[in-house]
Amino acid sequence: MNVIHFNDKACEKVRRYFDSYLDNELLVETNHEVLRHLAVCADCTRLLEERGRLKKAVRQAVMLEEPPAGLLAGVQKTIREGKRGGFFAPEPRQWGLAVAALLVLAVGGVLAVRMIGLRTREAGGGQGVFQTISTQAREILRIGLADHVHCTLELGRWKQLLSFDHMKQATGETALGPEFIDLVPVVKQKLGPHFQLIQGHRCTFNGRDYVHLIATGGNGAILSLVITEKKGEAFTRAQVAATMEASGVRVYRDNQDQLEIAGFETNRFLAFVVSNLDRDGNLKVAADLAPSVSQFLQRL
């Protein structure tokens, strides 16, 4: 795979967007600029994932915490006493700031302890928030993610509806051809009525050839089935346990760049389901597709 090495200025620019990217606050053009950079910059991808895990852990820890039982009563008592203080009693806005500060202090101590616990579980390999799959498995899953980001999102092919007849009659390097055209009705049937199959084509990205089917669904769902021949990669050698099995097909998953990826393999091919669905939604689609797609690929 060809790797583009970005200079420090490009990385610095993209990293300034990380917090806004994680909070879904970027404009579409800027969001795509970040995705393009992440698709080929491992260092920025790693930093973004670490920041995302940290933000998630902080958010979860705060949501799980309740203020100490006596805090509310103490604040109310202070406010009542302030009202009796006459001319020098703080204004309402000042009371609001005081209450907010007290809440931060109350939660902060327990939050610090909880964060230490989360980091400890990460170091010990337990089932904490920070646990991730192996680096090798993540790199394999990124093979499918890169084509989805480039072809589906950057080139906007999810907007280009093609009929089955058009795909069947298409010629040239991008045509599915007789080898893969029969995969289209298989995938369409397994996706069911909740998705519309937009198109299927062949494409190349970073020196790698892909077979790529794109579908859309309700609530803005954009989904890709990406297939590529192996170049020595294998989930079975990536030191990672499968997330699930679908009729005997092992499926592996990860979340990268705020997109869900589920991958499975045959002796010759790697296949990926990549989407902006949540974890369970993407895994369900992968579970529906994996057995039939695997059988199709094995026949090849």
Side-chain angles (χ1 to χ4, degrees):
M1 179 181 295
N2 297 330
V3 178
I4 300 174
H5 296 282
F6 280 79
N7 58 40
D8 292 339
K9 289 185 178 180
C11 292
E12 181 181 354
K13 178 183 178 182
V14 168
R15 290 172 189 180
R16 288 200 298 266
Y17 295 138
F18 277 2
D19 287 326
S20 297
Y21 175 83
L22 290 169
D23 293 332
N24 294 314
E25 296 175 349
L26 293 178
L27 297 174
V28 173
E29 294 80 4
T30 309
N31 195 69
H32 286 176
E33 178 184 351
V34 173
L35 288 172
R36 284 194 298 270
H37 184 84
L38 293 173
V40 290
C41 182
D43 288 339
C44 286
T45 298
R46 175 179 54 79
L47 290 174
L48 178 65
E49 290 165 355
E50 290 176 355
R51 185 171 300 185
R53 289 195 295 270
L54 181 60
K55 286 171 71 74
K56 181 179 178 181
V58 171
R59 184 168 59 249
Q60 289 178 336
V62 170
M63 291 176 65
L64 290 172
E65 281 309 319
E66 295 183 1
L71 177 64
L72 180 58
V75 171
Q76 292 173 335
K77 179 181 177 182
T78 303
I79 293 174
R80 286 195 298 270
E81 291 176 350
K83 288 180 178 178
R84 292 196 294 269
F87 181 80
F88 294 101
E91 295 180 357
R93 180 176 179 274
Q94 293 175 308
W95 282 118
L97 294 174
V99 172
L102 284 170
L103 289 172
V104 169
L105 289 173
V107 173
V110 180
L111 176 58
V113 174
R114 187 177 295 275
M115 290 299 295
I116 292 173
L118 291 170
R119 287 293 188 185
T120 301
R121 289 202 294 274
E122 179 188 28
Q127 298 299 317
V129 171
F130 289 96
Q131 187 185 22
T132 59
I133 65 175
S134 72
T135 301
Q136 186 179 358
R138 301 204 78 191
E139 289 302 313
I140 295 175
L141 289 167
R142 196 161 188 82
I143 293 170
L145 173 67
D147 189 58
H148 172 81
V149 171
H150 171 72
C151 194
T152 305
L153 303 182
E154 292 180 0
L155 300 183
R157 286 186 170 171
W158 66 274
K159 304 175 184 177
Q160 301 169 9
L161 178 63
L162 301 179
S163 68
F164 177 74
D165 287 340
H166 182 101
M167 288 184 277
K168 188 174 182 178
Q169 296 168 9
T171 58
E173 293 182 356
T174 63
L176 287 173
E179 189 177 26
F180 285 98
I181 189 61
D182 290 336
L183 182 61
V184 174
V186 172
V187 172
K188 185 175 181 180
Q189 190 267 332
K190 290 299 178 181
L191 287 175
H194 300 297
F195 287 90
Q196 179 181 18
L197 187 62
I198 300 298
Q199 64 164 281
H201 62 267
R202 291 177 185 257
C203 51
T204 301
F205 182 64
N206 278 350
R208 191 165 196 134
D209 296 327
Y210 296 90
V211 170
H212 189 178
L213 275 64
I214 304 172
T216 59
N219 298 321
I222 303 174
L223 180 142
S224 288
L225 172 64
V226 176
I227 298 169
T228 186
E229 288 198 61
K230 290 181 174 179
K231 294 184 178 181
E233 311 93 345
F235 285 112
T236 51
R237 296 198 297 269
Q239 299 178 345
V240 61
T243 303
M244 67 177 184
E245 285 198 15
S247 298
V249 180
R250 294 181 178 179
V251 179
Y252 306 81
R253 62 79 53 185
D254 194 20
N255 183 290
Q256 299 183 33
D257 302 344
Q258 295 186 309
L259 294 170
E260 279 292 321
I261 320 165
F264 51 96
E265 64 186 338
T266 65
N267 290 337
R268 179 183 167 190
F269 294 98
L270 295 169
F272 308 90
V273 176
V274 189
S275 76
N276 57 352
L277 297 169
D278 61 19
R279 172 193 169 109
D280 293 339
N282 197 68
L283 278 175
K284 182 182 184 306
V285 174
D288 291 340
L289 289 175
S292 298
V293 172
S294 293
Q295 290 176 10
F296 182 93
L297 296 176
Q298 287 166 358
R299 287 196 296 270
L300 295 180

